[in-house]
Amino acid sequence: MDFAHFIGGQWVADSDVTTNRNPANQDDIIGTYARGGAARVDEAVAAAMAALDDWAHASPQLRHDVLEKAGALIVERKDELGRLLAREEGKTLAEAVGETVRAAQVFKFFAGEALRNTGDAVASVRPGVEVMIEREPVGVIGLITPWNFPIAIPAWKMAPALAFGNTVVMKPAELTPGCAWELANILEQAGCPAGVFNLVMGPGSQVGARIVEHPDIAAVSFTGSVATGRQVAVDCAANGKKVQLEMGGKNPMVVVDDADLDVAVGAALNGAFFSTGQRCTASSRLIVTKGIHDAFLDRLTAAAADLVVGDPLDPKTQIGPVVDQSQMDQNMRYLALASEEGCDVRGGGLGNGNGFFMHPAIFAGASNAMRVSREEIFGPMTSIIKVDDYDEALAVANDTEFGLSSGICTTSLKLASHFRRHAKAGMVMVNLPTAGVDYHVPFGGRKGSSYGPREQGSYAREFYTVVKTSYIAP
Ligand code: ADP
């Protein structure tokens, strides 16, 4: 089946297409998706500009109703959409259905936020004058999304953008256009007026780059790699756009001697390997104090070896495929590098079948100075770094150019509190995997991981609105 762009309320085909393949079975073709360029972005921005005034001034009830309906339609179709997600991205069906439900929850949350866009009334320093502070839409917003959460990330950018009265041009990752296309379809069914939401599919170098430079796009929200994100920020600044970036992580999980071993192994297994390690919040550095190190390493090695790698649609599967050949090549380069750098590599073999299957790998005996412990790999691999005590663990945890999520496993309230206050990260997890977050609270990091205001929850309003201060003399 052919899937078209969605521009100005119309489905617009392109002669050029991208074939969307299942990473678990390269013969399984999900569909062919229109592959646009700069000209399609220009059409979409023109449609979004034309729709902006009406949408920005529409009753919040209308915006609420569209988002609420979209959330309801996603829930109704969760199994089918989850299956599509699993087929195009490769995470297990359970994870994919969970992510789909998450997308619905996000739409429903922001349906409510549309009604809660409150302002302030302040007494003026001038007698008889009133001051009001309100939040207005930013304008046309460009959304650029990655492949690893192909329904949740588009949802958590689209929903707040629309809730606060902006119009949108979205470009999904080329590897996973299917879920984004379904969201456009659902918004149309939910009664979203023509031009308010526009979908343009195609390569980042053309579609993404045009979104970033287009003079009528007022703000860009981007999630993806550090290299691309930094360029997007530079280009947005040069073009005077507001920008929000979510990029990589090299998230530490500290395990101290007093940790509950079952909890620590469970959190590490989930954080490092679930979703095939393809999460920016993945636990890619396990920093373990010497008293518990050997027991933890033995238990984790055994548990990782038992994880079932295979077809995401098989309910027994715990780890789906790597997303594509290029990510697989990168994983293999890091696997070889771990040995070259002197790690004791456990696991990491290739799986069977016509897909990009690999077994989880543990880099025992790693140091924090090694490249495998400093660079984001984005695969089912994790470094184990042995340290003397908690103080060293905390120092190693913070010794990274990233700062997204940071975790500790401990039964000591004192250490947990100290870690929570001293971790240089946007999110802290105690006795939980570094990945796995709620949808109604802020998501984001520090240092090289994020830039600009937070995403999600009520904090999303900061990016998707601009402040107006009015002075009124009656
Ligand atoms: P990943 O390695 O996760 O694919 P990328 O940063 O390459 O990360 O991609 C994230 C998103 O950014 C994708 O939608 C991609 O198409 C888009 N993108 C890639 N290059 C550019 C660019 N030069 N300008 C804008 N967007 C881009």
Side-chain angles (χ1 to χ4, degrees):
M1 189 175 157
D2 293 331
F3 296 89
H5 308 292
F6 187 59
I7 298 175
Q10 305 292 320
W11 295 96
V12 180
D14 244 311
S15 51
D16 205 3
V17 293
T18 305
T19 303
N20 187 0
R21 289 176 192 276
N22 181 345
N25 174 7
Q26 284 288 281
D27 297 331
D28 177 22
I29 292 175
I30 291 141
T32 53
Y33 289 78
R35 190 169 195 268
R40 289 287 178 228
V41 175
D42 292 356
E43 288 169 31
V45 175
M49 281 296 279
L52 181 61
D53 206 43
D54 281 354
W55 185 247
H57 293 102
S59 161
Q61 186 67 51
L62 172 63
R63 301 202 289 259
H64 166 278
D65 291 350
V66 168
L67 296 174
E68 177 69 30
K69 180 88 195 289
L73 289 170
I74 295 170
V75 173
E76 258 174 42
R77 295 176 55 200
K78 69 180 168 51
D79 293 322
E80 171 214 341
L81 293 172
R83 205 178 149 81
L84 167 69
L85 200 169
R87 269 176 77 212
E88 76 169 349
E89 197 270 349
K91 64 186 60 173
T92 65
L93 192 55
E95 288 172 328
V97 173
E99 186 185 328
T100 304
V101 172
R102 171 59 53 99
Q105 291 165 331
V106 168
F107 272 100
K108 285 167 173 271
F109 176 84
F110 283 106
E113 288 296 276
L115 300 172
R116 286 190 287 265
N117 191 17
T118 54
D120 287 317
V122 179
S124 170
V125 293
R126 286 174 280 176
V129 175
E130 292 168 8
V131 183
M132 284 171 66
I133 303 161
E134 291 157 293
R135 291 196 173 254
E136 295 191 347
V138 185
V140 178
I141 301 200
L143 306 179
I144 301 176
T145 58
W147 50 261
N148 65 329
F149 285 92
I151 198 162
I153 293 179
W156 82 50
K157 294 183 192 295
M158 291 159 70
L162 299 175
F164 295 117
N166 304 282
T167 56
V168 168
V169 176
M170 186 167 88
K171 188 210 98 61
E174 268 198 293
L175 282 173
T176 55
C179 290
W181 188 94
E182 291 294 351
L183 288 179
N185 187 21
I186 282 169
L187 274 179
E188 185 187 28
Q189 288 168 13
C192 189
V196 167
F197 177 80
N198 304 275
L199 177 77
V200 180
M201 299 172 285
S205 57
Q206 293 170 39
V207 175
R210 182 62 184 152
I211 286 175
V212 171
E213 72 178 19
H214 197 295
D216 287 338
I217 289 189
V220 174
S221 180
F222 166 93
T223 301
S225 63
V226 175
T228 309
R230 291 208 170 133
Q231 192 56 49
V232 165
V234 168
D235 294 344
C236 281
N239 291 295
K241 294 185 191 350
K242 200 169 178 182
V243 64
Q244 172 182 63
L245 308 175
E246 288 302 337
M247 300 172 287
K250 196 70 189 173
N251 309 291
M253 191 184 102
V254 168
V255 181
V256 290
D257 287 356
D258 71 11
D260 178 318
L261 197 53
D262 289 337
V263 167
V265 170
L269 202 67
N270 176 320
F273 304 130
F274 284 16
S275 298
T276 321
Q278 298 175 150
R279 295 187 284 190
C280 49
T281 48
S283 314
S284 46
R285 293 183 299 141
L286 305 178
I287 301 159
V288 189
T289 53
K290 60 188 178 194
I292 197 171
H293 174 273
D294 291 358
F296 175 80
L297 178 57
D298 286 350
R299 286 274 302 276
L300 185 67
T301 304
D306 281 347
L307 288 173
V308 180
V309 178
D311 184 349
L313 301 181
D314 182 338
K316 289 196 294 297
T317 295
Q318 292 168 291
I319 308 283
V322 172
V323 77
D324 73 348
Q325 186 64 56
S326 134
Q327 183 65 47
M328 189 65 150
D329 292 345
Q330 175 167 311
N331 291 357
M332 289 301 129
R333 282 197 297 275
Y334 277 110
L335 202 61
L337 180 64
S339 297
E340 284 161 30
E341 290 190 301
C343 297
D344 163 16
V345 176
R346 302 175 175 202
L350 292 182
N352 299 321
N354 187 23
F356 306 111
F357 298 110
M358 79 171 277
H359 290 273
I362 291 169
F363 304 155
S367 81
N368 199 47
M370 293 175 179
R371 280 182 56 202
V372 291
S373 302
R374 304 207 74 82
E375 298 172 13
E376 186 178 47
I377 301 177
F378 227 61
M381 288 167 268
T382 188
S383 294
I384 311 254
I385 301 165
K386 185 174 175 178
V387 292
D388 282 342
D389 53 23
Y390 168 76
D391 289 340
E392 188 185 354
L394 175 64
V396 169
N398 286 335
D399 178 10
T400 165
E401 67 174 275
F402 297 105
L404 188 54
S405 182
S406 193
I408 186 167
C409 289
T410 178
T411 50
S412 155
L413 180 59
K414 189 171 161 205
L415 287 188
S417 301
H418 189 275
F419 187 82
R420 187 171 58 74
R421 280 183 277 114
H422 292 86
K424 294 187 168 60
M427 297 178 290
V428 174
M429 310 289 179
V430 177
N431 295 319
L432 289 166
T434 54
V437 296
D438 287 3
Y439 65 89
H440 63 309
V441 292
F443 175 93
R446 300 181 184 176
K447 299 198 271 183
S449 291
S450 303
Y451 185 83
R454 285 285 185 267
E455 299 202 79
Q456 302 204 57
S458 55
Y459 285 66
R461 193 167 78 139
E462 191 57 40
F463 180 73
Y464 290 102
T465 59
V466 281
V467 169
K468 178 179 277 175
T469 312
S470 305
Y471 297 84
I472 305 126

